[in-house]
Amino acid sequence: MKAYILFLFLSSGLSVSLAQPFVPVSSGLPPIGRSAVAFADFDNDHDLDLVMVGLDESAQPLGKIFLNAQGVFSDTASGISGLYNCALALADYDLDGYIDVVMTGRDINGNATRLYRNLGDGTFGLTDDLFNAGGSDGDVAWGDYDNDAYPDLVISGNWDTRLYHNNGDGTFAEVTAGLTIMNTPSLDWGDCDNDGDPDLLMVGDAGSVAETFIYLNENGIFSRLEVPVEGAVGGTASWGDFDNDGNPDILISGKDVSLVPVSYVYRNNGDKTFSFANAGLVGTALGPADWIDYDNDGDLDIMLAGENAGCGNASTRLYNNNGVGSFDEFPAGLPFVERASSAWGDYDNDGDYDLLLTGLSGDPVSILYRNDIQTGAFQQNTPPGVPGNLYSYASGDYAVISWSRVTDLQSPQMAISYNVMVGSESGNIDVVSPQADIETGVRYTAGTGNTGSNDFMVFRSLNPGDYYFRVQAIDQAYEGSEFSTEGSFTVLSTDVNSVETPVTGIFTDGSLLRLVNTGSEDADVSIVSVTGAVVWSGKITKNDFSLSLENLRSGVYLVRMVKEGKQVTGKIIRQ
């Protein structure tokens, strides 16, 4: 996700309510500008630390990790060096249970991209991989585009875009993906068509100043989705489900083709189309556009910071999601800002999300705001329920796992995202890292789970062997439940031509769906897409029923068979 520079315009005439909802605290964090910042629990001690990169007060590149001990931040000799005009992204790319950092930007030697491996002792090691330099105002984003369980990396900027495949051994290999080249881009991965693999949102200058590209991912192959979504340059773009229907929507800020600040929300209609949502946001550029449930009411709100239309106009504005498809401005008392960088995280573990702003106000500044909202729709957050009804299906080197959706006291059911851990042995995370404490469910990052809002996860190119998985639910305030009980599945060697037919089961045989041993009684069968659409339904009486899937589009489907009051459910993949 893009991070931007901060320019604070402090005014003695700024109106702030007596009960200030966001309170600046003395943090001891160094002032930096031209910066990127993020919260993450780098030492796995159950509180959020900080990574800060930018220019210090002497205009020298600074890169630091600050460890959090009960709300107090302390500098550590992390080994990270600084960049400016930068962006960063976090992931456990080597699946060792610790959050790693990639960044792109500029230093005194020019443009650079650096990947730092978290060594688990408060220090980070620079990897030997050579990546293209997104450089000044470039962007980086992690996403497992090929569903092999390892986070891959896309880097864009400086009229270049490249996708790097994570080889699973600590190295990366560039792949040809056909993604557009861009300058000053903003990138975000999200499964916009809910088919189990992440799609890519790219917004920026691809030659016509302000453009939006949505690349649909079909089994690791990308194709551009032609949609009427306006673009912007010099801003931020990200996925977020503001209407809680399970389909990720789009938030975009920046300057349009006429270089006028704009801010857009586009609703995902669930059928690979998007429609403009009249969100009532002020046009904002050169700063962040953040989805965040700041008031714990179960829906995503919006913060915008940066330049507005008109000479010298700038603001930081917080918009409350009113639950009916639009937003109302909330008097947060935040200062006017321009070219802003922001990070949200519950650094004091009190159940709501706090805000860090860094950048320039003449001189570099870093301001940490504690969230003290206790009015209006604010609710004390509680964890969501624990997923159950684990299911798994494997065929060749493909596999699907699924679970039942949970409920939550604050977040609607479709607003819940899910997070999966997978290991080659019971309790391990060497296949999929959850970026969370596997015993308690405490999250190491502030964000949605690794499956998004899907209640299933798809795997491709798995090695033969046994796999063990558990699932947690994550609410809109990014709090995680405990992990579920453990499920398992087995991937057989690809040279095995046949396997034993289950006594009662739902499975595929080439292009056929087979329902085995249904018995002599009638059974009701339906095939439902991941968007909820029924693509086939009917009654069957045969003991061994087959149905051609030739006309079924690629994707993941839920098959339900109901007989004598009992239901058998399975997931199938149509490749």
Side-chain angles (χ1 to χ4, degrees):
M1 297 290 296
K2 178 62 67 65
Y4 278 91
I5 310 161
L6 171 70
F7 230 119
L8 298 181
F9 290 87
L10 300 178
S11 171
S12 59
L14 185 66
S15 174
V16 180
S17 64
L18 291 178
Q20 189 170 347
F22 287 88
V23 177
V25 298
S26 178
S27 64
L29 298 173
I32 59 172
R34 301 185 179 275
S35 52
V37 293
F39 282 104
D41 187 0
F42 292 112
D43 55 1
N44 294 2
D45 67 347
H46 294 185
D47 48 27
L48 293 178
D49 311 305
L50 277 168
V51 55
M52 303 179 68
V53 186
L55 287 180
D56 64 15
E57 292 177 297
S58 300
Q60 296 299 309
L62 174 147
K64 286 186 176 293
I65 299 289
F66 291 88
L67 298 181
N68 180 354
Q70 298 181 336
V72 178
F73 292 96
S74 59
D75 187 5
T76 181
S78 64
I80 288 179
S81 58
L83 297 173
Y84 64 94
N85 290 351
C86 50
L88 59 82
L90 309 176
D92 180 10
Y93 82 90
D94 54 356
L95 307 185
D96 66 351
Y98 289 95
I99 305 298
D100 310 300
V101 180
V102 66
M103 60 184 70
T104 192
R106 185 175 181 83
D107 63 11
I108 59 176
N109 297 313
N111 294 332
T113 296
R114 298 176 185 146
L115 173 60
Y116 289 94
R117 179 172 177 261
N118 188 338
L119 302 180
D121 59 359
T123 64
F124 290 73
L126 180 63
T127 68
D128 294 329
D129 282 280
L130 298 177
F131 301 100
N132 70 302
S136 289
D137 298 322
D139 205 7
V140 289
W142 294 101
D144 180 15
Y145 80 92
D146 57 352
N147 295 107
D148 67 349
Y150 288 95
D152 308 299
L153 182 63
V154 62
I155 305 172
S156 185
N158 197 26
W159 299 113
D160 196 4
T161 297
R162 302 191 194 187
L163 178 63
Y164 294 91
H165 177 259
N166 186 336
N167 297 322
D169 59 1
T171 66
F172 292 79
E174 184 179 346
V175 297
T176 301
L179 304 175
T180 186
I181 61 173
M182 273 197 172
N183 195 37
T184 61
S186 183
L187 311 173
D188 198 19
W189 292 99
D191 188 4
C192 73
D193 54 0
N194 292 330
D195 66 349
D197 46 28
D199 310 300
L200 183 61
L201 174 64
M202 301 182 67
V203 177
D205 185 357
S208 299
V209 181
E211 298 170 83
T212 293
F213 287 72
I214 298 174
Y215 284 99
L216 292 184
N217 181 357
E218 298 290 345
N219 298 340
I221 305 300
F222 293 93
S223 61
R224 185 182 178 188
L225 179 65
E226 298 291 342
V227 290
V229 176
E230 295 293 329
V233 65
T236 304
S238 60
W239 301 104
D241 184 12
F242 82 92
D243 52 0
N244 290 336
D245 64 352
N247 301 310
D249 310 301
I250 299 175
L251 172 62
I252 297 173
S253 73
K255 294 185 178 182
D256 64 13
V257 293
S258 300
L259 300 183
V260 175
V262 293
S263 299
Y264 303 131
V265 172
Y266 282 88
R267 186 191 307 273
N268 185 338
N269 299 318
D271 58 0
K272 298 183 182 180
T273 67
F274 292 80
S275 57
F276 179 76
N278 189 13
L281 308 176
V282 66
T284 307
L286 303 178
D290 297 332
W291 294 110
I292 185 70
D293 184 12
Y294 73 88
D295 54 0
N296 288 355
D297 66 350
D299 51 32
L300 289 178
D301 311 301
I302 293 174
M303 191 197 80
L304 299 173
E307 175 186 316
N308 308 133
C311 182
N313 290 337
S315 64
T316 298
R317 304 196 188 199
L318 196 59
Y319 289 89
N320 178 59
N321 186 336
N322 60 26
V324 295
S326 62
F327 296 81
D328 303 314
E329 188 171 353
F330 175 76
L334 298 173
F336 293 90
V337 298
E338 187 179 30
R339 297 183 67 84
S341 176
S342 63
W344 290 89
D346 183 14
Y347 84 92
D348 53 0
N349 286 332
D350 66 348
D352 51 32
Y353 272 75
D354 312 298
L355 172 64
L356 174 66
L357 296 174
T358 71
L360 301 173
S361 180
D363 295 319
V365 296
S366 297
I367 306 174
L368 180 63
Y369 290 95
R370 186 182 67 240
N371 186 343
D372 279 357
I373 295 175
Q374 296 289 335
T375 60
F378 176 84
Q379 302 179 44
Q380 190 63 45
N381 194 50
T382 57
V386 179
N389 297 323
L390 303 187
Y391 171 84
S392 62
Y393 168 85
S395 176
D397 59 357
Y398 289 78
V400 173
I401 60 175
S402 66
W403 50 89
S404 60
R405 294 189 180 274
V406 304
T407 57
D408 181 68
L409 294 179
Q410 289 79 38
S411 299
Q413 189 173 60
M414 291 306 296
I416 302 296
S417 68
Y418 296 92
N419 197 41
V420 170
M421 57 174 281
V422 184
S424 58
E425 296 181 359
S426 178
N428 280 7
I429 60 169
D430 59 330
V431 178
V432 174
S433 173
Q435 300 182 172
D437 187 310
I438 64 175
E439 299 299 329
T440 64
V442 173
R443 302 274 292 139
Y444 295 156
T445 58
T448 57
N450 52 25
T451 76
S453 61
N454 291 333
D455 59 349
F456 64 94
M457 193 173 199
V458 177
F459 303 91
R460 298 183 176 94
S461 303
L462 290 177
N463 292 323
D466 296 327
Y467 294 86
Y468 302 85
F469 68 96
R470 296 165 64 191
V471 186
Q472 73 171 159
I474 299 173
D475 62 21
Q476 286 284 51
Y478 304 145
E479 184 170 359
S481 71
E482 294 182 356
F483 279 88
S484 69
T485 57
E486 191 169 72
S488 64
F489 61 94
T490 299
V491 173
L492 299 175
S493 175
T494 55
D495 61 3
V496 176
N497 295 320
S498 61
V499 297
E500 183 179 352
T501 299
V503 175
T504 299
I506 300 169
F507 67 102
T508 55
D509 182 5
S511 62
L512 295 178
L513 167 68
R514 292 188 58 196
L515 307 178
V516 177
N517 284 0
T518 60
S520 59
E521 297 295 327
D522 289 354
D524 293 307
V525 177
S526 60
I527 304 176
V528 183
S529 74
V530 292
T531 63
V534 177
V535 299
W536 188 89
S537 64
K539 286 185 177 291
I540 63 172
T541 57
K542 295 180 180 179
N543 185 55
D544 190 342
F545 174 80
S546 297
L547 175 70
S548 174
L549 300 177
E550 289 289 349
N551 295 323
L552 199 64
R553 298 176 63 183
S554 298
V556 180
Y557 295 86
L558 177 69
V559 181
R560 296 189 180 96
M561 181 171 61
V562 180
K563 182 183 66 172
E564 298 175 330
K566 297 181 180 180
Q567 177 174 291
V568 177
T569 303
K571 288 276 177 68
I572 62 171
I573 304 173
R574 177 65 174 146
Q575 301 177 29

